[in-house]
Amino acid sequence: MIGRLLRKPLAVASLVWVLALIMLSVLAPLIAPYSPDQQDILHALEGPSRAHPLGTGVLGLDVWSRLLYGGRVTLVSTAISVAVYALVGLPAGLLAGYRGGLVDKVVLRLSEVAYAIPGTIMVLVVLAVRPNDETAAMVAVGLLAAPALARVVRSATIAVREELYIRAAVLSGLPDRLILRRHVLPTVMGTVIVHVALFATTAIVLETGLGFLGVGTRQVSWGELVAEASRNLGNQPWLLAPSGFVIITFILAFGLIGDGLRDANAEGYSVRQRAPRPVRRHRPPAAAAPPNAPADLTPNQRVIPAADALLAVEGLSIAFEVSGQIVTVVEDVSFAVAPGELVGIVGESGSGKSVTVAALLGLLRGTGRVTAGTMTFQGRRFDLADVKSLAGLRARRIALIGQDPMSGLDPAFTVRHQLAEVLKANTGLRGPALAERVLELLRAVSLPEPTAVAKSYPHQLSGGMAQRVSIAAALAGQPDLILADEPTTALDVTVQAEILDVLRSLGKAVLLVTHDWGLLVDLCQSGIVMYAGQVVEQGSVADIVADPRHPYTLGLLRSNPYFAQPGRPLPAIPGLVLPPDRWPAGCHFAERCPLVGPACLADPIPLGPAAGRLGWTRCLFQSQVAGLEEREARP
Amino acid sequence: MTAPLIEVEDLAVTYRNRGRRSVLAVDGVSLAVDRGRTLGLVGESGSGKSTIGSVMLGLVAPSQGRVSLDGRPASWRTRAERAGLARRVQAVFQDPFGSMNPTRKIGQTMTEMLRYNLRLSPAAVAERVERALTDVGMRTEALDRYPSQFSGGQLQRLAIARALVVEPDFVVCDEAVSSLDLSVQAQVINLLAGLAKARGLAYLFISHDLTVVTHLSDQVAVLYAGQVVELGPAAAMADHPRHPYTQALVLAAPIPDPAAQAARRASRWSRAGSGRPGSAGIGSGSPPATTGCRWAPRCPFAVEQCRLSRPDLLERTPGWSVACHVTPPDSE
Amino acid sequence: MGRVVGRWFLTALPVVVVVSMLTFVLASLVPGDPARTILGINAPQEQVDALRQQLGLDLPLPQRYWDWLVAAAHGDLGRSITTRGSVAAELAGRLQVTLSLVVLGLIVIVLVGVGLGLISAIKGGWLGRAVDLLSLIGLAVPGFWLGLVLVAVLAVAVPIFPATGFVHFSDSPTGWAASMALPVLTLALTGTAGLAKQTRSSVLDELGKDYVRMLRARGLSERRVILLHVSRNAGAPIVTVVGLLFIGLVSGAVLLETVFVLPGLGSLTVAATKAHDIPVILGVTLILSFVVVTVNLLVEISYALLNPKVRT
């Protein structure tokens, strides 16, 4: 960790500065040209000069020398309070969080008491009792702040305690002491470092403040130099500068060291970025690819003629910026949806299915943006990169249902409020008609008690109810197409079946995104299979399932335990999906494919028509896919 | 007859819901797993399936009932008892990213149990770890890396290896493949099945996915609201479930076979009584009953008796028990 | 809401009592005899004993605390050792000064800090980095030093504002405003950036959440998404920080009152500390802990108003 810290220039500079201040204070008697109380009456309150590099104060006391000596007080006092703070707060927080029970209650109550009294006042109380005993005051500062640290550590520990790896460690029979030291402590360390550094800065401010008020130690201190400056503001404002400079830079250094330590600690175990790779150039579609001219039919033309299509997406590519690099995650995706048609996109995580759908409404997260692609919706053409033009379609033409119903609703407002708001934004409804429409929408998604649900806040609903509310919200603008992005993944199967029934009953076109073949088969007429950012196969669901033309489609279908032969291993696809920055120029599936040949590796594989049936596939050997299954079936 | 490897009898677990009323998460459950066999545990969220796993792992103390290992009562009270059981009972959890401490190298996590609990020599530790890694298809280079350098599937393999290093007899797999992508899930399922055979492991395989459970298990127990409603042979039960709740589960799980799925859907609708798709039908809003059969409020076959008395789990055919007052028609 | 207030009574009042108890016990450790301090070193012993009895100093500590607490509950905080005046009366006048400083400072900080945080979260870019830099300065520059610099620049070098002193609002509203200008400016300069940073991170947190994306998908205008939904949800953590900020401002005010020679609780405490005037010290801690727990109540109520999970 030290090594990583030393690679951060700001932190190193700060460290050097703190060490320098420590050295200077320790060596003050050797370095200082004058003793701290040596007077030079003739040169009182002067600016910097050769004899007094930082000028003089009252009675001609040398500022530079007093600064050197003064540092000793601040350094020692800060160290004392930080030590007390960390040594009391950290163990108390760890124990309270890990063990709970009585320790926990005591820590919580103590922190409430500590929060109820401004720190400066309590320190003054201590100093009223023990005049000028700065050590006692700084111990009190540490003790007063320690419950706050304990509280922070406690929350962090409780969060860690729930982690599975702590459970696994408990199952390993490790003693609590080892679990705390080896598993809990490293995880909460980042938080602790930040808080200790932050407290150090507070302690320095407080200590210099005490010196300024003249209630701290009787020795010369930085704070006292500020006080001296304040008494002579009128005739020598320069005096503010030297003491201010050391105090501010000292605090700043602690803040920066804290930041550096926290980052160094986190970098130790978080993802090391892969060696930078050249940004993949987006290749123009090869000549053999389906022509993209607007007059032409969309790739799944034989399923849905484009002229009749409600939605036709052409040549959609999406890229994200990941640590300064542009990474393409979706490449040249084209498909169409007919009015009222139920279409499903099936794929694994990283296939690009969810981002594809998000792009249609201009709702890509983070740094994502559309790099190419157009959409024709109800005869109007849209540039998918033009997010503003897509915003007009939201809710009134195309609605979205998200994956996690609970987090898709604003927790701070009732269902009624949220539905009414959507209606107001998208329809002319107002007043009683609006209220009636809210209930009507809730009834439309088969919620048994619409009035009760309308009054509820999202956290009072079950997952299934919340997803029905989401669907109701999606229906509010009377859209013609509903994008459903894994709408049932967070739900139980019996609830999932009911949500699918609701979607089926709407009579609207649905574009479903799913990882579950069963859902695709249950709900959809047409299917689109995606792998590593590309459409690898599309056609009618019945055809895809019965007669797959891409080895990935077949492999993914056969991975499903439903098709398993009892007592025999599942025919799993070997290997892993490549991350987007390592996709090859040729077939993205080549590395895992049993049919791979030299032709698959060189150039992008175009999406071509399926032979002998409707649909499209991105495989050069589609006729051999069926043979794979027979090979698989042989003992 | 020899005692089962691990057994819970008449188990009940009550959770206090932060000051509010207490919740009965598990209610009168008895289950047994024999050496080298796999018991599947299926149920929806809130059915208590994970809680049963946690009790068998000593992570949750039951409010009633007992756990026994090889016919002797198991206890996790003292540290020595915990350390002893840790050598025989291990677990693989759902979230592979949460299962490994992100701040520690894989090697540190994998070896600590051997070093601090079994107190093996460095050579013995290295040998055990290497064997476990080979078994899960990972290389020893993995030991020097941090969890963030692996994919979910790889981490789950490593989590399995960590459970294996102590050479346990019994492993609780709590949704162990649920968060994995289909193609990786198939690999891990094969791995678990292979390990059971090669090492003679017994599993408690907990999942919400009936298809996965059926594939991996010898026997399956179906839980609803903390109670076992059906316990029977895996494959036969998936084809012809006898309890109305099991039937509802089977009918609700969509399958990638268009004709069969259409039949399931029709059957489900006809049971819902309305035949109108999209209707609330069996009423997803109805919570489990507190008296009588818990499933009764949502059951199309419920009779008066179902609301009054709790049905016992009775053996209908050898090795196949059902807790139901009526005999519902076959669902297919 | 009633539950929030009820819970506050159950936890906050005991906290005030515990704080006062701690202070009382601590204060009883003062070396020397308060009666002797009052009467001077040369007073005869009988006179000292008589005063001890009069002050109740001969009673056991718990008895003394109880008597003090009962008196305090009736508004009697005893007499100052240095001025012999009523502590309660002294505190009442001074609380006004401290509160006007802290509340004015808080209002400025909240208005500017929240605004700046919100804008920098939405616009990002250089504004965000500016907030980062400002907050680092706010962290590193001690308020009392900054106050002195402001005095040197805006009162001594270019005399725009009075350097020190306090004018009562009832005497002259403009004079009051002028006397408050520099102290409030100092508080605001040290506190604003921290709140801006907290606001920005809360708003960015909310903006990344699913519901914001869904609200956009439902065709709501960006204005409405941010001004109604995001700001309400981001409000809860911000309110908590404002509560902590208030306590910090009271701490800071102690020093600033000395810098600007304001007759507030802070300068009183400093004087009492130097003079070992224990009754005054006890009174100040009691009053301030009461103020703080009251502010905490306001925080909890606002939190509950913003967050239905706490309410329902």
Side-chain angles (χ1 to χ4, degrees):
Chain A
M1 185 162 125
I2 302 296
R4 283 189 299 273
L5 183 70
L6 293 181
R7 280 198 291 276
K8 296 181 193 307
L10 266 181
V12 172
S14 306
L15 211 57
V16 168
W17 180 234
V18 170
L19 289 176
L21 282 179
I22 293 174
M23 288 305 290
L24 288 173
S25 317
V26 170
L27 301 176
L30 299 177
I31 305 172
Y34 307 91
S35 88
D37 43 16
Q38 190 174 332
Q39 303 181 356
D40 186 0
I41 306 281
L42 291 178
H43 297 101
L45 290 172
E46 280 182 354
S49 65
R50 184 163 299 177
H52 301 283
L54 292 178
T56 56
V58 283
L59 305 173
L61 298 170
D62 182 56
V63 172
W64 165 239
S65 308
R66 286 165 67 78
L67 217 48
L68 292 178
Y69 280 99
R72 308 176 130 198
V73 177
T74 305
L75 290 171
V76 171
S77 297
T78 307
I80 290 172
S81 57
V82 169
V84 170
Y85 173 77
L87 292 179
V88 174
L90 180 57
L94 279 178
L95 271 180
Y98 191 70
R99 282 279 173 75
L102 188 66
V103 192
D104 192 26
K105 288 207 178 75
V106 169
V107 165
L108 279 181
R109 290 289 97 79
L110 276 180
S111 70
E112 267 162 29
V113 172
Y115 277 134
I117 185 81
T120 324
I121 300 288
M122 209 63 197
V123 173
L124 288 176
V125 173
V126 171
L127 286 168
V129 176
R130 301 185 64 88
N132 300 95
D133 185 349
E134 186 156 325
T135 309
M138 293 316 279
V139 168
V141 170
L143 282 177
L144 272 176
L149 176 66
R151 208 170 166 145
V152 169
V153 172
R154 168 187 176 269
S155 324
T157 307
I158 287 176
V160 177
R161 194 182 62 187
E162 301 300 316
E163 292 283 352
L164 291 174
Y165 60 81
I166 299 290
R167 267 206 235 175
V170 171
L171 287 178
S172 309
L174 291 191
D176 286 351
R177 171 176 49 84
L178 271 182
I179 293 176
L180 275 174
R181 200 177 75 212
R182 294 171 67 95
H183 291 285
V184 181
L185 195 58
T187 327
V188 302
M189 216 48 208
T191 321
V192 172
I193 290 168
V194 171
H195 279 84
V196 168
L198 208 60
F199 172 74
T201 64
T202 316
I204 299 166
V205 172
L206 245 168
E207 193 281 330
T208 51
L210 295 180
F212 170 71
L213 293 175
V215 294
T217 168
R218 289 206 177 85
Q219 290 168 308
V220 57
S221 72
W222 290 349
E224 195 205 323
L225 288 174
V226 179
E228 189 181 325
S230 82
R231 287 190 293 272
N232 298 288
L233 263 192
N235 34 24
Q236 191 47 277
W238 156 256
L239 271 181
L240 271 179
S243 50
F245 177 77
V246 286
I247 294 172
I248 291 169
T249 52
F250 193 51
I251 298 174
L252 211 53
F254 264 95
L256 293 172
I257 292 172
D259 283 358
L261 277 174
R262 179 200 54 202
D263 295 347
N265 183 52
E267 278 162 23
Y269 52 83
S270 54
V271 188
R272 306 244 168 89
Q273 291 302 327
R274 283 186 207 91
R277 286 165 182 280
V279 175
R280 282 168 48 81
R281 264 177 304 116
H282 188 73
R283 287 164 182 267
N292 273 343
D296 277 300
L297 300 177
T298 59
N300 51 348
Q301 51 179 298
R302 302 194 193 168
V303 184
I304 313 141
D308 305 338
L310 172 72
L311 165 83
V313 174
E314 287 170 72
L316 171 62
S317 293
I318 301 169
F320 279 77
E321 194 185 316
V322 183
S323 46
Q325 291 180 64
I326 308 295
V327 179
T328 299
V329 299
V330 166
E331 268 184 26
D332 194 24
V333 164
S334 305
F335 61 89
V337 178
E341 193 191 16
L342 303 165
V343 179
I345 304 182
V346 69
E348 297 179 283
S349 52
S351 63
K353 57 190 190 305
S354 284
V355 275
T356 296
V357 163
L360 304 186
L361 285 176
L363 289 171
L364 290 174
R365 294 169 203 270
T367 58
R369 62 195 171 83
V370 170
T371 51
T374 60
M375 165 173 96
T376 310
F377 186 80
Q378 293 179 326
R380 277 173 66 204
R381 234 174 121 73
F382 296 88
D383 178 356
L384 285 169
D386 179 6
V387 173
K388 283 228 172 74
S389 72
L390 297 172
L393 292 173
R394 293 176 190 165
R396 300 179 206 204
R397 295 280 179 264
I398 305 179
L400 176 69
I401 302 168
Q403 177 174 103
D404 184 348
M406 221 48 108
S407 66
L409 297 171
D410 184 337
F413 293 93
T414 59
V415 167
R416 184 201 309 281
H417 182 280
Q418 300 194 45
L419 287 180
E421 185 176 33
V422 180
L423 284 168
K424 271 192 237 163
N426 295 297
T427 68
L429 288 175
R430 295 292 180 274
L434 179 77
E436 183 39 48
R437 179 72 181 138
V438 166
L439 295 180
E440 203 178 298
L441 282 173
L442 292 173
R443 279 193 287 269
V445 293
S446 307
L447 275 162
E449 289 174 66
T451 4
V453 172
K455 273 189 240 162
S456 310
Y457 286 96
H459 72 272
Q460 296 167 316
L461 304 174
S462 71
M465 289 159 92
Q467 194 58 295
R468 285 170 200 260
V469 170
S470 289
I471 298 176
L475 295 176
Q478 298 187 299
D480 300 297
L481 171 65
I482 291 180
L483 309 177
D485 185 1
E486 305 256 12
T488 58
T489 304
L491 306 174
D492 278 331
V493 274
T494 51
V495 182
Q496 164 175 287
E498 293 167 22
I499 294 291
L500 289 183
D501 286 347
V502 171
L503 285 176
R504 209 189 323 263
S505 70
L506 300 176
K508 297 192 185 285
V510 173
L511 181 59
L512 172 81
V513 170
T514 184
H515 64 278
D516 186 338
W517 282 107
L519 285 188
L520 183 80
V521 165
D522 189 37
L523 187 72
C524 300
Q525 296 146 355
S526 306
I528 298 162
V529 185
M530 286 188 73
Y531 180 79
Q534 295 179 325
V535 172
V536 294
E537 178 162 8
Q538 54 198 112
S540 80
V541 168
D543 280 345
I544 292 178
V545 172
D547 181 17
R549 294 298 172 85
H550 195 284
Y552 174 69
T553 313
L554 179 74
L556 196 63
L557 264 172
R558 292 302 168 259
S559 303
N560 198 310
Y562 176 76
F563 293 112
Q565 314 276 337
R568 294 190 43 195
L570 296 168
I573 305 172
L576 299 166
V577 186
L578 289 174
D581 57 345
R582 285 167 53 194
W583 289 343
C587 175
H588 289 186
F589 187 62
E591 207 183 71
R592 305 172 74 184
C593 182
L595 293 177
V596 64
C600 303
L601 303 175
D603 293 307
I605 312 296
L607 198 61
R613 68 155 168 88
L614 301 178
W616 294 80
T617 172
R618 201 182 285 274
C619 182
L620 300 175
F621 303 106
Q622 56 163 309
S623 57
Q624 297 176 35
V625 173
L628 276 177
E629 190 156 25
E630 281 149 32
R631 205 163 72 194
E632 198 64 58
R634 275 199 304 271
Chain B
M1 202 179 125
T2 55
L5 173 64
I6 189 161
E7 189 174 19
V8 294
E9 286 164 280
D10 197 22
L11 195 70
V13 180
T14 313
Y15 281 126
R16 259 192 300 279
N17 205 343
R18 253 181 287 146
R20 283 173 237 167
R21 344 166 240 179
S22 53
V23 178
L24 196 58
V26 175
D27 181 8
V29 166
S30 300
L31 290 170
V33 187
D34 287 320
R35 207 166 272 282
R37 306 282 284 175
T38 296
L39 172 67
L41 208 51
V42 183
E44 295 182 292
S45 50
S47 62
K49 55 190 191 300
S50 283
T51 306
I52 294 174
S54 297
V55 170
M56 288 190 171
L57 292 166
L59 294 171
V60 166
S63 42
Q64 174 199 313
R66 62 202 154 269
V67 185
S68 30
L69 203 65
D70 287 330
R72 283 188 298 276
S75 154
W76 284 270
R77 246 173 328 185
T78 68
R79 199 177 110 47
E81 284 171 337
R82 283 197 295 275
L85 282 165
R87 300 171 199 199
R88 304 198 50 196
V89 181
Q90 279 297 320
V92 180
F93 297 111
Q94 171 171 10
D95 174 16
F97 295 96
S99 301
M100 292 280 176
N101 188 337
T103 65
R104 303 182 65 76
K105 289 181 182 171
I106 300 292
Q108 292 173 312
T109 300
M110 293 256 304
T111 55
E112 64 186 4
M113 191 166 8
L114 300 176
R115 284 165 56 198
Y116 297 103
N117 185 354
L118 271 62
R119 300 189 186 281
L120 297 182
S121 69
V125 168
E127 193 231 298
R128 287 257 195 129
V129 168
E130 200 182 327
R131 183 177 163 218
L133 283 178
T134 317
D135 277 6
V136 300
M138 297 290 291
R139 281 187 259 171
T140 44
E141 283 92 87
L143 296 174
D144 247 355
R145 303 207 180 151
Y146 287 96
S148 59
Q149 292 166 289
F150 295 95
S151 72
Q154 291 170 320
L155 278 179
Q156 202 63 326
R157 286 170 188 271
L158 291 169
I160 294 169
R162 188 212 8 224
L164 293 181
V165 284
V166 286
E167 306 187 339
D169 308 313
F170 176 62
V171 178
V172 173
C173 300
D174 189 352
E175 301 276 10
V177 300
S178 304
S179 68
L180 303 176
D181 263 323
L182 200 51
S183 67
V184 178
Q185 186 186 60
Q187 297 170 1
V188 176
I189 288 174
N190 287 344
L191 173 64
L192 287 170
L195 287 169
K197 238 181 240 170
R199 290 189 171 218
L201 283 174
Y203 292 128
L204 177 71
F205 195 86
I206 302 169
S207 176
H208 67 281
D209 187 334
L210 191 61
T211 327
V212 171
V213 169
T214 305
H215 177 71
L216 266 171
S217 308
D218 301 301
Q219 253 197 324
V220 173
V222 181
L223 280 172
Y224 182 73
Q227 298 176 351
V228 177
V229 296
E230 185 165 3
L231 172 67
M237 202 167 94
D239 288 340
H240 302 283
R242 292 176 176 177
H243 192 282
Y245 174 65
T246 317
Q247 293 176 345
L249 265 189
V250 169
L251 291 180
I255 43 173
D257 176 337
Q261 177 56 25
R264 276 193 176 186
R265 195 162 60 220
S267 177
R268 185 164 59 79
W269 285 349
S270 78
R271 290 193 164 215
S274 67
R276 183 174 72 86
S279 75
I282 53 173
S284 58
S286 329
T290 44
T291 55
C293 171
R294 304 223 163 177
W295 176 247
R298 291 170 69 178
C299 182
F301 310 106
V303 295
E304 189 58 24
Q305 193 190 1
C306 302
R307 298 180 217 290
L308 297 175
S309 72
R310 174 179 167 176
D312 290 323
L313 188 67
L314 296 175
E315 197 162 48
R316 300 280 169 96
T317 51
W320 194 335
S321 315
V322 183
C324 185
H325 289 306
V326 295
T327 308
D330 204 79
S331 57
E332 296 293 323
Chain C
M1 197 54 60
R3 224 174 53 204
V4 173
V5 178
R7 204 178 51 216
W8 175 78
F9 266 104
L10 285 179
T11 57
L13 289 183
V15 164
V16 173
V17 172
V18 169
V19 168
S20 70
M21 205 189 301
L22 279 178
T23 331
F24 200 91
V25 172
L26 207 60
S28 72
L29 302 175
V30 175
D33 182 347
R36 169 70 69 190
T37 319
I38 292 168
L39 294 172
I41 199 92
N42 297 321
Q45 187 59 40
E46 304 82 64
Q47 217 176 328
V48 172
D49 287 344
L51 186 62
R52 278 179 62 86
Q53 205 166 6
Q54 192 194 331
L55 292 174
L57 291 173
D58 52 341
L59 298 171
L61 189 63
Q63 177 70 44
R64 262 156 55 203
Y65 174 65
W66 178 250
D67 291 346
W68 176 82
L69 195 65
V70 169
H74 292 94
D76 175 13
L77 291 169
R79 297 196 162 270
S80 158
I81 288 174
T82 41
T83 67
R84 306 296 295 147
S86 153
V87 171
E90 177 78 40
L91 290 181
R94 288 181 172 255
L95 183 62
Q96 228 179 11
V97 178
T98 303
L99 280 188
S100 49
L101 172 60
V102 169
V103 170
L104 273 179
L106 195 66
I107 290 172
V108 174
I109 291 174
V110 168
L111 288 181
V112 179
V114 170
L116 205 61
L118 193 61
I119 295 169
S120 72
I122 294 158
K123 293 270 161 15
W126 65 270
L127 204 56
R129 283 193 290 281
V131 168
D132 276 346
L133 193 69
L134 267 177
S135 70
L136 206 58
I137 293 171
L139 181 84
V141 181
F144 63 92
W145 187 84
L146 186 63
L148 289 171
V149 171
L150 289 178
V151 169
V153 175
L154 294 176
V156 178
V158 189
I160 303 172
F161 298 106
T164 55
F166 180 73
V167 179
H168 275 279
F169 185 79
S170 46
D171 296 343
S172 154
T174 50
W176 173 80
S179 70
M180 277 290 146
L182 286 185
V184 168
L185 181 62
T186 312
L187 277 186
L189 280 175
T190 50
T192 303
L195 186 64
K197 204 173 171 180
Q198 173 64 42
T199 305
R200 187 180 51 162
S201 84
S202 301
V203 169
L204 285 178
D205 266 5
E206 291 302 320
L207 281 175
K209 285 190 180 165
D210 236 19
Y211 76 86
V212 171
R213 191 162 168 267
M214 292 308 293
L215 289 170
R216 287 179 181 147
R218 289 176 195 138
L220 298 191
S221 69
E222 197 61 23
R223 254 173 81 95
R224 195 174 171 87
V225 169
I226 286 168
L227 292 183
L228 184 69
H229 294 272
V230 170
S231 47
R232 176 150 179 184
N233 283 290
I238 294 172
V239 160
T240 313
V241 171
V242 169
L244 291 175
L245 189 63
F246 180 88
I247 303 169
L249 290 184
V250 173
S251 265
V254 172
L255 287 150
L256 284 190
E257 285 172 12
T258 305
V259 170
F260 293 101
V261 199
L262 298 176
L265 286 177
S267 49
L268 176 68
T269 318
V270 174
T273 300
K274 288 179 174 166
H276 318 306
D277 195 342
I278 298 303
V280 169
I281 296 265
L282 288 176
V284 170
T285 48
L286 185 72
I287 293 287
L288 281 184
S289 59
F290 207 81
V291 168
V292 170
V293 294
T294 309
V295 167
N296 285 345
L297 171 69
L298 296 178
V299 167
E300 287 205 17
I301 289 176
S302 334
Y303 197 89
L305 284 176
L306 288 169
N307 187 347
K309 271 191 207 175
V310 181
R311 237 181 310 151
T312 49

